Amino acid sequence: MRWRDKKVTRQACHLSLKHLTAKQRQQGLLEHLDSGEVVVGDGSFLLTLEKRGYVKAGLWTPEAVVEHPNAGRSHMEFLRVGSDVMQTFTFSASENNMESLWEAVNTAACDLAREVANKGDALVAGGICRTSLYAHHKDEVRIKKLFRLQLEIFARKNVDFLIAEYFEHAVEVLKESGEPVAATMCIGPEGDMHGVTPGECAVKLVKAGASVVGVNCRFGPWTSLKTMSLMKEARQAAELKAPLMVWSLGFHMPDCGKGGFLDLPEYPFVLEPRVATRWDIKKNAREAYNLGVRYIGGCCGFEPYHIRAIAEELAPEKGFLSPASEKHGSWGSGLNTHTKPWIRARARREYWENLRLASGRPFCPSLSKPDA
Amino acid sequence: MRWRDKKVTRQACHLSLKHLTAKQRQQGLLEHLDSGEVVVGDGSFLLTLEKRGYVKAGLWTPEAVVEHPNAGRSHMEFLRVGSDVMQTFTFSASENNMESLWEAVNTAACDLAREVANKGDALVAGGICRTSLYAHHKDEVRIKKLFRLQLEIFARKNVDFLIAEYFEHAVEVLKESGEPVAATMCIGPEGDMHGVTPGECAVKLVKAGASVVGVNCRFGPWTSLKTMSLMKEARQAAELKAPLMVWSLGFHMPDCGKGGFLDLPEYPFVLEPRVATRWDIKKNAREAYNLGVRYIGGCCGFEPYHIRAIAEELAPEKGFLSPASEKHGSWGSGLNTHTKPWIRARARREYWENLRLASGRPFCPSLSKPDA
Amino acid sequence: MRWRDKKVTRQACHLSLKHLTAKQRQQGLLEHLDSGEVVVGDGSFLLTLEKRGYVKAGLWTPEAVVEHPNAGRSHMEFLRVGSDVMQTFTFSASENNMESLWEAVNTAACDLAREVANKGDALVAGGICRTSLYAHHKDEVRIKKLFRLQLEIFARKNVDFLIAEYFEHAVEVLKESGEPVAATMCIGPEGDMHGVTPGECAVKLVKAGASVVGVNCRFGPWTSLKTMSLMKEARQAAELKAPLMVWSLGFHMPDCGKGGFLDLPEYPFVLEPRVATRWDIKKNAREAYNLGVRYIGGCCGFEPYHIRAIAEELAPEKGFLSPASEKHGSWGSGLNTHTKPWIRARARREYWENLRLASGRPFCPSLSKPDA
Amino acid sequence: MRWRDKKVTRQACHLSLKHLTAKQRQQGLLEHLDSGEVVVGDGSFLLTLEKRGYVKAGLWTPEAVVEHPNAGRSHMEFLRVGSDVMQTFTFSASENNMESLWEAVNTAACDLAREVANKGDALVAGGICRTSLYAHHKDEVRIKKLFRLQLEIFARKNVDFLIAEYFEHAVEVLKESGEPVAATMCIGPEGDMHGVTPGECAVKLVKAGASVVGVNCRFGPWTSLKTMSLMKEARQAAELKAPLMVWSLGFHMPDCGKGGFLDLPEYPFVLEPRVATRWDIKKNAREAYNLGVRYIGGCCGFEPYHIRAIAEELAPEKGFLSPASEKHGSWGSGLNTHTKPWIRARARREYWENLRLASGRPFCPSLSKPDA
């Protein structure tokens, strides 16, 4: 397995970040994380492709990878903006959600992810997620079988590692996989519905075999960092070493309760006013880094420009800018040549850092009360 | 030139959009509009591709059509959601903005638009827009030459009609073209900086040779309808017949002044909280239709799902749903099977029509004051 | 009739408001206004005393002047903060609203106003207001009789001038009075329900005998100035000389329509978040002055500290500060000695002028839609 | 000492609350609380009289009781709306804040409070509060002497009980007094600056001699109930019996930190948009009662109509309405006769309970960040 050729990538960006002395390497996820390097994940597929017309809200299955492979190729956007990992678009793609289509979808998703990854020496991660069967039946045999079916395809397609994401309960399946597993939970700082705290959860995941632990989805960027902080504390108290990852939502939702964004009345169709800005994400990525998180990506709502914001903020640590930063002046510097002086005046960091942006919706409130 | 076979498509719509067997018809923009049919335009390219990493904010030039043709092919998303017109991605692509690249860009943009249009019997519109030269020099000879260079490529590439958009001043160039021209101005209900009212502007455009008149960009969906209402009145008073078009921004900006969204402090990087929802656009499309507007599309901020909202709202008039409506349950009906009862309860029209969505940003205001 | 001795008071002001030895002068409202001097009106009685427990929302009658004379004596607060006029608390005190109580109320109200006015050489204004009879019956004979009954008491009690306020229609009764009349309408910049513009209204009032014209109630401070600006224009066009007065609401209500604050869903019990600050009113008073308005007071929602803000802003023009300014450091200077440095840092003009104050209500919107 | 004659009061209200069988009683604070009766406190003096022009923001001393006794008599408003206790207006009236004036102020404040209390058989509470000396010097001898000087006057004037309020640290002085002491702290649910929790604080106060414990000032109505809930838990855990009291601010401030409202940038001059409505306070009073709190009053921002809202909400428990409820229709019933039907439609509970009131300030945010 190979890693992105930093030298080549750097060539594209050498005008922005000088004096890099990177070595081309053959290296996987854990080597990178163990050496303290930052790994940038990819972003939103389901909600993003729903808005492009390829995914249906509700069951949220990824049949697009066989129906519209070009849509599934939107991985390419994430590669260009700086993602180091292409996750297979296999959310909810287990047999019980997709019936006879499941196998074709998992296979095609692996192929698409690898096709794009190869264009930038990125890693491919096979993604499995919780099944609603657990909540209903707790039929462990059935659930493990579903996971095994997907894992067999991932193994055959030779993914570089596995991501077990969107779990609400610390899972047993993890140990069975030979690959490194990055495992994330949908959990907020107040813990889950059964009273499990983020810290207990992190420790359980590691003991169940996770190489990397963290949170994904359901909570906004700042709330997720609060959870990570609690996971980090517990990991230290338990003298465990697993690196930390975070993939928050790309939406501001300080008002959601334990259940996360599903419970907010705006989910899933009118989350627009909550979308984070690039500057929000830049700041959040730096704070995640300062907290010790090294695998930083995004979940629902993370568009390519949000991932680019992460990659740009952490460019000093990574040593290079991604190709799509050619299309992004630092702190709005592309406005420098605007004909209107008051727009040119916006081409600076202080402006964007301090602006309190308006919603344009004076008849709407700032916060909602969760339904549940 | 060919157009989507509505009769067959409508039948297909009854069959859940399957087994489409489109027959090609020979009919152009004006025939459709003259017969009272609705024409759905496409949406946002510049701001949308900026967020995907392919366009740079500031000069906003469309070099992506040669650098990343697949990105330029995002026309495909608009076709799937219901656009009847594929506009060439040639905004700001005149020679004085793009130097030696201009010719390749205009040529490639025509080819990409036609390639996609052919997949759905859509029309291709060649797009020209204002040049900042006018504001600075008023060098008419130079400006007309720039336009002529682009028009020659559009003629060679056999576009179906022209769109002269984003003008701040009623233009002279229009008469020179043999194709029908849809001409739009960036003008709000209060008129332009020189005291020209929307009504005067509409009359001037028609007299200058525009077959269709309206507004695009700079103002939000509701403000733009106020302007259209004034244009309609003036058109009637002048006993002119030109059909009306509207392409507003996909952002709420009741607070922008005469200069439109450029003057708002949030432009262009933190407009997120202002993005219109699909339900906003549905309602707006119906109101545009009721006002007599028949060519309805979108400008900056109009994502595919917004165009789909127009196409769905006007499906009774058009007689068919677009393919991407397969991925969109009516008023959120895809939530019907959700495991949580309070989320299932959201699968109904009254819910989404009455919800006052929150911004999730309690430290931010609702409105801003324009800079200029 | 006597007026505050400004020369002496101004001198006193230099002495930190001590050692006042007022001399009585004989001068009325018009002499003051004609000489360009500023007259500061008083503020809110009905809504203010409702909150103190003495007035009932709904019919809004002033029986408090006989039931609780000390409450009616809250004129004293306005005198102390700088009001030059004590208006009789006789709103809605006509016979058809108050039955047998009307005479005692009008008489007591005159006595209370004079009692307080005499403590500061202020003027007493007898106040009459619209009757709902007009809207229902247009029974001119009956309405004029009601007005005459009140006016007879005012004449007997020797008020210094009359205020005909809260009218929705330009009235005929004005000419019958021998006293100068200050007449105000409840009208916004968009005109009244019958299409009468503010300008037409101002001209009619003057021609009907008003010595001073303006607006009171129903609209917020900034909206009222827009109306005044239109009245001023029309007055000039008609070559009339009547001085201008303004008594806006002490509430921000940019969202109310033609009908004013009655139509807003918050009226009358939950207007709290809309209450103007002292700094808002300072700024507004200056703008009113710059527009040429010389009689500046307040209507519902104007608490004593709002009137003080007017008097302080216009102290350079008036030549003195009112006694209650002893209890009000300029721009918060009283915070200078606070033990917490971040609170001391608030004791300056720039701080309060630029602060964007929060509502503390994140579940509430910024604007409402009028009911009517 | 006598208590309000409920029979007489009831007579005034017998149309509202029927079948009362109250006995006239000679009873003090503790007897009432011990028997489970509700005691309604009074409300805001400092901030309220600042707005009327009698108190200066900053040092907040109550010289008004000698300078303007009528202003100091605004106790009368609280008596009328239902307060069972008249607290002497002696905040910050210790010798080190008021110099030679201190004695006259404390004496006059006792006389004014008794004068009003006698009109309604209310109790008189002598109020002492923290001194900033403690924070600076911790000079216990000096502080105790200051307290003793005030207490001597209270003893001479025969107040019915003492309120030790606005303390930031559990105090020692309490034991020295022979009267029952109601002691309140300015503490939020997160505890004080030294890490003392509300529970620890409550227990300390009782052990130091307080007969009644609770919180006053600095935090909003809902935040204060969270603190009370914690105090209640700790009191139970410690098997103590002291009744509970709460006097929150009359402002919404969910955004203030540990330091309370002083730290919010709006303090003290632009808190207007945060003022609680009468319906907010009604709901809050019921929740306080349900929590077990029996002495319920208000601190800064509690106007008479807020106290009336408490008295009305708890009228079923108290057995009578206060006189000022004659001027307050239940849930806005006074609007029943309004000429406009949409205003009549507001005369009902559901309307006011569900209304999400607007701020009228679209350029302002919902929340602020504390300064400290």
Side-chain angles (χ1 to χ4, degrees):
Chain A
M1 194 209 88
R2 302 177 311 153
W3 189 255
R4 178 185 302 197
D5 181 342
K6 291 189 179 177
K7 196 175 63 186
V8 173
T9 313
R10 195 179 61 251
Q11 272 178 343
C13 309
H14 66 283
L15 297 175
S16 307
L17 286 169
K18 291 171 185 160
H19 314 304
L20 275 186
T21 52
K23 266 190 316 201
Q24 184 168 349
R25 281 174 299 176
Q26 286 273 343
Q27 205 175 316
L29 178 71
L30 295 179
E31 287 93 330
H32 278 84
L33 290 171
D34 287 348
S35 65
E37 287 185 34
V38 176
V39 174
V40 178
D42 53 15
S44 170
F45 282 82
L46 290 168
L47 267 72
T48 293
L49 292 182
E50 196 275 336
K51 290 188 173 170
R52 298 186 189 179
Y54 298 107
V55 164
K56 186 164 182 179
L59 195 52
W60 299 110
T61 47
E63 61 277 10
V65 294
V66 292
E67 290 177 0
H68 302 282
N70 268 333
R73 248 172 224 114
S74 57
H75 276 296
M76 196 59 216
E77 297 168 17
F78 288 115
L79 185 77
R80 266 179 49 76
V81 296
S83 296
D84 296 315
V85 179
M86 299 293 114
Q87 187 181 350
T88 59
F89 184 28
T90 49
F91 187 91
S92 277
S94 67
E95 188 218 15
N96 76 315
N97 285 326
M98 303 209 71
E99 299 177 6
S100 65
L101 206 58
W102 80 270
E103 192 164 359
V105 163
N106 279 278
T107 306
C110 289
D111 290 344
L112 283 173
R114 180 62 73 197
E115 174 192 325
V116 173
N118 282 347
K119 291 184 182 162
D121 301 314
L123 294 165
V124 169
I128 57 168
C129 72
R130 73 180 276 268
T131 157
S132 55
L133 285 178
Y134 185 84
H136 292 167
H137 314 289
K138 296 210 167 41
D139 178 346
E140 195 177 319
V141 174
R142 170 97 174 98
I143 294 169
K144 285 195 170 176
K145 189 184 161 205
L146 286 173
F147 287 157
R148 198 172 306 112
L149 287 170
Q150 280 190 275
L151 293 176
E152 282 167 8
I153 294 179
F154 295 156
R156 194 165 70 239
K157 287 295 182 177
N158 204 23
V159 301
D160 299 316
F161 67 98
L162 297 174
I163 295 176
E165 65 163 343
Y166 201 71
F167 281 90
E168 294 178 332
H169 311 272
V171 285
E172 300 305 299
V173 67
L174 299 174
K175 282 185 199 154
E176 304 196 4
S177 157
E179 298 288 345
V181 176
T184 60
M185 299 283 289
C186 295
I187 193 169
E190 295 171 54
D192 77 5
M193 296 304 175
H194 310 290
V196 180
T197 66
E200 290 164 356
C201 171
V203 170
K204 273 192 190 178
L205 286 174
V206 176
K207 292 195 172 161
S211 306
V212 182
V213 292
V215 294
N216 83 304
C217 208
R218 295 228 181 148
F219 300 90
W222 301 104
T223 309
S224 295
L225 290 193
K226 278 190 212 159
T227 317
M228 289 313 299
S229 169
L230 296 168
M231 286 194 165
K232 182 188 173 185
E233 266 177 39
R235 189 195 62 168
Q236 283 172 319
E239 299 188 356
L240 298 171
K241 297 283 182 200
L244 300 173
M245 67 189 294
V246 65
W247 292 356
S248 76
L249 295 174
F251 305 109
H252 290 291
M253 23 198 52
D255 40 356
C256 72
K258 275 189 163 189
F261 84 145
L262 300 175
D263 290 350
L264 282 176
E266 290 88 356
Y267 172 87
F269 292 121
V270 294
L271 294 165
E272 282 87 345
R274 295 173 177 271
V275 175
T277 69
R278 62 195 72 197
W279 319 122
D280 291 333
I281 296 303
K282 256 180 97 68
K283 194 173 169 191
N284 187 261
R286 175 56 56 192
E287 197 159 306
Y289 183 86
N290 289 345
L291 189 62
V293 182
R294 287 295 177 271
Y295 185 173
I296 306 174
C299 204
C300 307
F302 259 79
E303 301 292 331
Y305 75 110
H306 293 119
I307 297 293
R308 178 173 59 191
I310 300 173
E312 291 184 351
E313 177 61 28
L314 300 174
E317 283 77 15
K318 290 183 74 71
F320 60 95
L321 282 169
S322 60
S325 288
E326 280 187 333
K327 300 288 181 191
H328 195 230
S330 171
W331 290 105
S333 64
L335 303 178
N336 261 328
T337 58
H338 203 282
T339 53
K340 305 192 181 191
W342 58 90
I343 296 181
R344 286 200 298 277
R346 297 174 195 160
R348 57 201 168 85
R349 175 171 181 161
E350 293 70 26
Y351 181 84
W352 297 109
E353 278 193 331
N354 295 314
L355 185 64
R356 297 202 290 173
L357 71 174
S359 69
R361 290 173 159 91
F363 301 102
C364 290
S366 292
L367 300 182
S368 285
K369 300 207 169 147
D371 278 352
Chain B
M1 196 206 88
R2 300 161 317 166
W3 188 257
R4 180 183 303 193
D5 182 342
K6 292 188 178 176
K7 198 175 61 185
V8 174
T9 314
R10 187 183 308 112
Q11 201 178 36
C13 166
H14 294 163
L15 299 168
S16 300
L17 294 170
K18 286 170 190 158
H19 313 303
L20 271 186
T21 54
K23 223 169 42 180
Q24 297 169 345
R25 280 198 300 163
Q26 282 289 132
Q27 203 178 323
L29 176 71
L30 295 179
E31 287 94 330
H32 278 83
L33 290 172
D34 287 348
S35 65
E37 286 185 35
V38 175
V39 173
V40 177
D42 54 12
S44 168
F45 281 81
L46 291 169
L47 268 71
T48 294
L49 293 183
E50 195 276 336
K51 288 185 175 172
R52 298 187 190 179
Y54 298 108
V55 165
K56 186 165 183 180
L59 195 52
W60 300 110
T61 45
E63 62 277 9
V65 294
V66 292
E67 291 177 358
H68 302 281
N70 268 334
R73 247 172 224 114
S74 56
H75 277 295
M76 196 60 215
E77 296 168 19
F78 288 115
L79 185 78
R80 265 179 50 76
V81 296
S83 296
D84 297 315
V85 179
M86 298 295 114
Q87 185 181 350
T88 59
F89 185 27
T90 48
F91 187 91
S92 278
S94 66
E95 189 218 15
N96 76 312
N97 285 326
M98 304 208 69
E99 299 177 5
S100 64
L101 206 56
W102 80 271
E103 191 162 1
V105 163
N106 280 277
T107 305
C110 289
D111 291 344
L112 284 173
R114 180 62 73 195
E115 175 193 324
V116 174
N118 281 347
K119 291 183 181 163
D121 302 317
L123 294 165
V124 169
I128 57 168
C129 71
R130 75 178 276 268
T131 156
S132 55
L133 284 179
Y134 186 83
H136 292 167
H137 314 290
K138 299 210 168 35
D139 178 348
E140 197 177 317
V141 175
R142 170 97 175 99
I143 294 169
K144 285 195 172 176
K145 189 185 161 200
L146 286 174
F147 287 158
R148 200 171 303 116
L149 288 169
Q150 280 189 276
L151 292 176
E152 281 167 7
I153 294 179
F154 295 157
R156 193 164 71 236
K157 287 295 181 177
N158 204 21
V159 301
D160 300 316
F161 68 97
L162 297 174
I163 294 175
E165 66 164 342
Y166 202 69
F167 281 92
E168 293 179 332
H169 311 273
V171 286
E172 300 306 300
V173 67
L174 299 174
K175 283 187 199 154
E176 305 195 3
S177 155
E179 298 287 345
V181 176
T184 60
M185 298 283 290
C186 294
I187 192 169
E190 297 171 53
D192 77 3
M193 296 304 174
H194 310 290
V196 181
T197 68
E200 289 164 355
C201 170
V203 170
K204 272 193 191 179
L205 285 174
V206 177
K207 292 194 172 163
S211 306
V212 182
V213 291
V215 294
N216 84 303
C217 208
R218 293 227 181 150
F219 300 91
W222 302 103
T223 308
S224 295
L225 289 192
K226 278 190 211 159
T227 316
M228 288 313 299
S229 170
L230 297 169
M231 285 194 165
K232 183 188 173 185
E233 265 178 39
R235 188 196 61 166
Q236 283 173 319
E239 299 188 356
L240 298 170
K241 296 285 182 199
L244 300 174
M245 67 189 295
V246 67
W247 289 358
S248 76
L249 294 174
F251 305 109
H252 291 291
M253 23 198 53
D255 41 354
C256 73
K258 277 188 160 188
F261 84 146
L262 300 176
D263 290 350
L264 283 175
E266 291 88 356
Y267 173 87
F269 291 121
V270 295
L271 294 164
E272 283 86 346
R274 297 175 176 267
V275 175
T277 70
R278 61 194 74 198
W279 320 119
D280 291 334
I281 296 302
K282 256 181 96 69
K283 193 174 170 190
N284 187 260
R286 176 54 59 194
E287 197 159 304
Y289 183 85
N290 289 345
L291 189 64
V293 182
R294 286 298 175 270
Y295 186 174
I296 306 174
C299 205
C300 307
F302 260 77
E303 300 292 329
Y305 75 110
H306 292 118
I307 297 293
R308 179 171 62 189
I310 299 174
E312 291 185 350
E313 176 62 27
L314 299 174
E317 283 76 15
K318 290 184 73 74
F320 61 94
L321 283 170
S322 59
S325 288
E326 273 188 336
K327 300 290 181 191
H328 194 229
S330 171
W331 289 106
S333 64
L335 304 178
N336 261 328
T337 57
H338 203 280
T339 53
K340 305 194 180 188
W342 59 90
I343 295 181
R344 286 201 299 279
R346 296 174 194 160
R348 57 199 169 85
R349 176 172 179 161
E350 293 69 28
Y351 181 84
W352 297 110
E353 279 193 331
N354 295 314
L355 185 65
R356 296 202 291 173
L357 71 174
S359 69
R361 289 173 160 92
F363 301 102
C364 290
S366 291
L367 300 183
S368 285
K369 300 208 169 146
D371 278 351
Chain C
M1 195 209 88
R2 301 164 314 166
W3 188 258
R4 179 183 303 193
D5 182 340
K6 290 186 180 179
K7 199 174 61 185
V8 174
T9 312
R10 188 184 306 110
Q11 200 176 36
C13 166
H14 294 163
L15 298 167
S16 302
L17 294 168
K18 285 169 192 161
H19 314 303
L20 271 186
T21 52
K23 222 168 40 182
Q24 296 168 346
R25 279 198 300 164
Q26 281 290 133
Q27 199 177 328
L29 176 72
L30 295 179
E31 286 93 330
H32 278 83
L33 291 171
D34 286 349
S35 65
E37 285 185 36
V38 176
V39 174
V40 177
D42 54 14
S44 169
F45 282 81
L46 291 168
L47 269 72
T48 293
L49 292 183
E50 195 278 335
K51 290 188 174 169
R52 299 187 189 178
Y54 299 106
V55 165
K56 186 164 183 180
L59 194 54
W60 298 111
T61 46
E63 62 277 10
V65 294
V66 292
E67 292 177 0
H68 302 281
N70 268 332
R73 247 172 224 116
S74 58
H75 276 296
M76 196 59 215
E77 296 169 18
F78 289 116
L79 184 78
R80 265 180 49 77
V81 296
S83 296
D84 296 314
V85 180
M86 299 294 115
Q87 186 181 349
T88 60
F89 185 27
T90 49
F91 187 91
S92 277
S94 65
E95 186 217 19
N96 76 313
N97 284 325
M98 302 208 74
E99 299 175 5
S100 65
L101 206 56
W102 80 270
E103 192 163 357
V105 163
N106 279 278
T107 305
C110 288
D111 290 344
L112 283 173
R114 179 64 71 197
E115 173 192 328
V116 174
N118 281 347
K119 292 184 181 162
D121 302 316
L123 293 166
V124 170
I128 57 167
C129 71
R130 74 180 275 268
T131 157
S132 56
L133 286 178
Y134 186 84
H136 292 168
H137 313 290
K138 298 209 167 40
D139 178 347
E140 198 176 316
V141 174
R142 169 101 174 96
I143 295 169
K144 284 194 171 178
K145 188 183 161 205
L146 286 173
F147 287 158
R148 198 170 307 115
L149 286 169
Q150 282 190 274
L151 293 176
E152 282 166 8
I153 294 180
F154 295 156
R156 195 165 67 237
K157 287 295 180 179
N158 203 21
V159 301
D160 299 313
F161 67 98
L162 296 174
I163 294 176
E165 66 163 342
Y166 201 70
F167 282 91
E168 292 177 334
H169 311 273
V171 286
E172 300 305 299
V173 67
L174 301 175
K175 281 184 200 153
E176 304 194 6
S177 157
E179 297 287 344
V181 176
T184 60
M185 299 282 289
C186 293
I187 192 169
E190 296 172 54
D192 76 5
M193 295 305 176
H194 310 290
V196 180
T197 67
E200 290 164 358
C201 171
V203 170
K204 274 192 191 179
L205 286 174
V206 176
K207 293 194 173 163
S211 306
V212 182
V213 291
V215 295
N216 83 303
C217 208
R218 294 230 180 146
F219 300 90
W222 302 104
T223 309
S224 296
L225 290 193
K226 279 191 211 159
T227 315
M228 288 314 298
S229 169
L230 296 168
M231 285 194 166
K232 182 188 174 185
E233 265 176 39
R235 189 195 61 168
Q236 283 172 318
E239 298 187 353
L240 298 169
K241 297 282 182 202
L244 300 174
M245 68 190 292
V246 65
W247 291 356
S248 76
L249 295 173
F251 304 110
H252 291 290
M253 20 199 54
D255 40 354
C256 73
K258 276 188 161 188
F261 84 145
L262 300 176
D263 291 350
L264 282 176
E266 290 88 357
Y267 173 88
F269 292 121
V270 294
L271 293 165
E272 282 86 346
R274 296 173 178 269
V275 176
T277 69
R278 62 194 74 197
W279 321 121
D280 292 333
I281 296 303
K282 255 180 96 69
K283 194 175 169 190
N284 187 260
R286 176 55 57 194
E287 199 160 306
Y289 183 85
N290 289 344
L291 189 63
V293 183
R294 287 296 176 270
Y295 186 174
I296 306 175
C299 204
C300 307
F302 260 78
E303 301 292 332
Y305 74 110
H306 292 119
I307 297 293
R308 179 172 60 190
I310 299 174
E312 290 185 350
E313 176 62 28
L314 299 175
E317 283 76 17
K318 289 183 75 72
F320 60 94
L321 282 170
S322 59
S325 289
E326 275 188 335
K327 300 290 182 189
H328 195 230
S330 171
W331 290 107
S333 64
L335 305 177
N336 261 329
T337 56
H338 203 281
T339 53
K340 305 192 182 190
W342 58 90
I343 295 180
R344 286 200 299 276
R346 296 175 194 159
R348 57 199 167 87
R349 176 172 182 160
E350 294 68 29
Y351 181 84
W352 297 109
E353 279 194 329
N354 295 313
L355 185 64
R356 296 201 293 171
L357 72 176
S359 70
R361 289 175 159 90
F363 300 103
C364 289
S366 292
L367 300 183
S368 285
K369 299 206 169 148
D371 277 353
Chain D
M1 191 206 91
R2 300 176 315 152
W3 189 256
R4 179 185 303 199
D5 181 345
K6 288 187 182 181
K7 197 174 61 183
V8 174
T9 312
R10 194 179 64 250
Q11 273 179 340
C13 307
H14 68 283
L15 296 176
S16 306
L17 285 169
K18 291 170 186 161
H19 312 304
L20 274 186
T21 54
K23 268 188 318 201
Q24 185 169 347
R25 281 175 298 176
Q26 286 271 345
Q27 205 175 314
L29 177 72
L30 294 179
E31 288 93 328
H32 278 85
L33 290 171
D34 286 348
S35 65
E37 285 184 37
V38 175
V39 173
V40 177
D42 54 13
S44 169
F45 282 81
L46 291 168
L47 268 70
T48 293
L49 292 183
E50 194 277 334
K51 290 187 175 171
R52 299 187 188 178
Y54 299 107
V55 165
K56 185 165 184 181
L59 194 53
W60 300 110
T61 45
E63 61 277 11
V65 294
V66 291
E67 291 177 357
H68 302 280
N70 269 334
R73 250 172 220 114
S74 57
H75 276 295
M76 195 60 214
E77 297 168 19
F78 289 116
L79 184 79
R80 266 180 48 76
V81 296
S83 295
D84 296 315
V85 179
M86 299 295 114
Q87 185 181 351
T88 58
F89 185 28
T90 48
F91 187 91
S92 277
S94 66
E95 187 219 17
N96 76 313
N97 285 325
M98 304 207 71
E99 299 176 4
S100 64
L101 206 57
W102 80 270
E103 192 163 1
V105 163
N106 280 277
T107 306
C110 288
D111 290 344
L112 284 173
R114 180 63 73 196
E115 172 192 328
V116 173
N118 282 347
K119 293 183 180 162
D121 301 315
L123 294 164
V124 169
I128 57 167
C129 70
R130 73 181 274 268
T131 155
S132 54
L133 285 178
Y134 186 84
H136 292 168
H137 315 287
K138 297 207 168 42
D139 178 348
E140 198 177 315
V141 174
R142 168 101 174 97
I143 295 169
K144 286 194 171 177
K145 186 184 163 206
L146 286 174
F147 288 157
R148 200 171 305 114
L149 286 170
Q150 280 190 275
L151 293 176
E152 281 167 8
I153 294 179
F154 296 155
R156 194 166 68 237
K157 288 293 179 178
N158 203 23
V159 301
D160 299 314
F161 68 97
L162 297 174
I163 294 175
E165 66 165 341
Y166 201 72
F167 281 91
E168 293 178 333
H169 312 273
V171 285
E172 299 305 300
V173 68
L174 299 174
K175 282 185 200 154
E176 306 197 2
S177 156
E179 299 286 344
V181 176
T184 60
M185 298 283 289
C186 294
I187 192 170
E190 296 171 54
D192 77 3
M193 296 305 176
H194 310 290
V196 180
T197 68
E200 291 163 356
C201 170
V203 170
K204 274 193 190 179
L205 286 174
V206 177
K207 295 195 170 160
S211 306
V212 183
V213 291
V215 294
N216 83 304
C217 206
R218 294 229 180 149
F219 300 90
W222 303 103
T223 308
S224 294
L225 290 192
K226 279 191 210 157
T227 315
M228 287 314 299
S229 169
L230 296 168
M231 285 193 165
K232 181 188 174 186
E233 266 178 39
R235 187 195 63 167
Q236 283 172 319
E239 299 187 355
L240 298 170
K241 296 283 182 201
L244 300 174
M245 68 189 293
V246 66
W247 290 356
S248 75
L249 294 174
F251 305 109
H252 291 290
M253 23 199 54
D255 39 354
C256 73
K258 276 187 162 188
F261 84 145
L262 300 177
D263 290 349
L264 282 176
E266 291 88 356
Y267 173 86
F269 292 120
V270 294
L271 294 164
E272 283 86 346
R274 298 174 176 268
V275 175
T277 70
R278 60 194 74 196
W279 320 121
D280 292 333
I281 296 304
K282 255 180 97 68
K283 194 175 170 190
N284 188 260
R286 176 55 57 193
E287 198 159 304
Y289 183 86
N290 290 344
L291 188 64
V293 181
R294 288 296 175 271
Y295 185 174
I296 306 175
C299 204
C300 307
F302 260 77
E303 302 291 331
Y305 73 110
H306 292 118
I307 296 294
R308 178 172 62 187
I310 299 174
E312 291 185 351
E313 177 62 28
L314 299 174
E317 282 76 16
K318 289 184 74 74
F320 61 94
L321 282 170
S322 59
S325 289
E326 279 186 333
K327 301 287 181 190
H328 194 230
S330 171
W331 290 106
S333 64
L335 303 178
N336 261 328
T337 57
H338 203 281
T339 54
K340 305 193 181 190
W342 59 91
I343 294 180
R344 286 200 299 278
R346 296 175 194 159
R348 57 201 168 83
R349 176 173 180 159
E350 293 69 27
Y351 181 84
W352 297 109
E353 278 193 332
N354 295 314
L355 185 64
R356 297 202 290 174
L357 72 174
S359 68
R361 290 175 159 90
F363 301 103
C364 289
S366 292
L367 300 182
S368 287
K369 300 205 170 148
D371 276 353

